[in-house]
Amino acid sequence: MNLTKILTIVFLLAAVAIGYLLYDSIDATIEQAKEIERVENQVKAKLELIRDVQAAYQGTYGDYADSWEKLISYADTGKIFLVQRTEKITMLAYGAEKSEFIYDTIGSVYVKDSIMGNMSPQKLPELPHAPGKYFSLYAKDSIRSGVNVDYIEVADTYPFDRTRTDDADNERRRPLRFGSRTDITTAGNW
């Protein structure tokens, strides 16, 4: 066997090895991105559930729950009242219409049955990807331009994607959250 054949075989084996390493590196990156997307979808679903329970709490009590204990208790035993709205239109003598709205409470359903599904209310604040770690909860009411407003923010305190940081310039690269401590919103950053 001459030197050319030996070098050809060595370079062929080296090319195959480098090709495999490149493929494995790309495949690992793709699998990691899929895992991050799967976990973040779970976090988003949990944040949407918390937002729904907070909206029901606000509808019942007039403000957001400012502690997990209050929210868990409400999710476990609270009720959402079913209200039927009817409109009565009366024609006035001079041709105009007068509208009158009548609200009637026709029943109630438990929050646990209507919003929570099969999730235990005690698991509400826990991060789906990090047992023992919890979402942060901020709820406060204040006076803004003479009007009482409610602020709420619920954020992932332990992001699965470590590139998500609080000081990121792009809002979508910050840890997953909904609401704001300074704006009146319940929108998520996803």
Side-chain angles (χ1 to χ4, degrees), residues 104-175:
D104 185 23
T105 303
I106 57 175
S108 65
V109 293
Y110 284 101
V111 174
K112 187 178 0 179
D113 297 334
S114 65
I115 297 176
M116 295 298 294
N118 60 0
M119 178 181 279
S120 167
Q122 285 71 25
K123 295 282 186 185
L124 199 59
E126 191 171 304
L127 293 171
H129 62 280
K133 301 215 182 279
Y134 302 96
F135 289 103
S136 68
L137 171 65
Y138 174 84
K140 184 178 180 182
D141 57 343
S142 106
I143 306 291
R144 187 173 185 179
S145 299
V147 177
N148 189 24
V149 293
D150 296 318
Y151 297 98
I152 185 166
E153 181 183 75
V154 178
D156 183 351
T157 57
Y158 191 74
F160 185 75
D161 181 2
R162 298 291 178 231
T163 63
R164 289 187 176 276
T165 59
D166 283 322
D167 58 350
D169 291 335
N170 185 351
E171 175 67 26
R172 292 183 176 268
R173 293 306 310 151
R174 293 184 183 159

Side-chain angles (χ1 to χ4, degrees), residues 13-178:
L13 292 175
V16 168
I18 289 171
Y20 174 76
L21 291 174
L22 287 173
Y23 170 79
D24 189 49
S25 171
I26 292 170
D27 187 53
T29 303
I30 291 170
E31 289 302 317
Q32 181 182 15
K34 286 180 182 177
E35 181 67 9
I36 287 172
E37 182 180 6
R38 184 188 67 77
V39 169
E40 286 191 350
N41 284 338
Q42 290 177 344
V43 172
K44 290 174 194 175
K46 190 88 168 255
L47 285 169
E48 289 170 352
L49 178 65
I50 294 169
R51 181 172 54 193
D52 292 344
V53 175
Q54 281 282 16
Y57 186 95
Q58 184 187 33
T60 302
Y61 295 111
D63 58 356
Y64 293 114
D66 58 0
S67 71
W68 287 115
E69 292 78 22
K70 287 180 184 178
L71 194 64
I72 290 169
S73 175
Y74 178 73
D76 195 28
T77 61
K79 291 182 179 181
I80 298 173
F81 295 98
L82 305 174
V83 178
Q84 180 181 27
R85 180 182 122 177
T86 55
E87 181 179 9
K88 180 180 175 185
I89 300 174
T90 309
M91 291 297 290
L92 300 176
Y94 51 90
E97 294 179 350
K98 176 184 171 188
S99 294
E100 190 177 346
F101 295 99
I102 302 163
Y103 297 94
D104 185 23
T105 303
I106 57 175
S108 65
V109 293
Y110 284 101
V111 174
K112 187 178 0 179
D113 297 334
S114 65
I115 297 176
M116 295 298 294
N118 60 0
M119 178 181 279
S120 167
Q122 285 71 25
K123 295 282 186 185
L124 199 59
E126 191 171 304
L127 293 171
H129 62 280
K133 301 215 182 279
Y134 302 96
F135 289 103
S136 68
L137 171 65
Y138 174 84
K140 184 178 180 182
D141 57 343
S142 106
I143 306 291
R144 187 173 185 179
S145 299
V147 177
N148 189 24
V149 293
D150 296 318
Y151 297 98
I152 185 166
E153 181 183 75
V154 178
D156 183 351
T157 57
Y158 191 74
F160 185 75
D161 181 2
R162 298 291 178 231
T163 63
R164 289 187 176 276
T165 59
D166 283 322
D167 58 350
D169 291 335
N170 185 351
E171 175 67 26
R172 292 183 176 268
R173 293 306 310 151
R174 293 184 183 159
L176 293 172
R177 70 184 68 224
F178 76 84

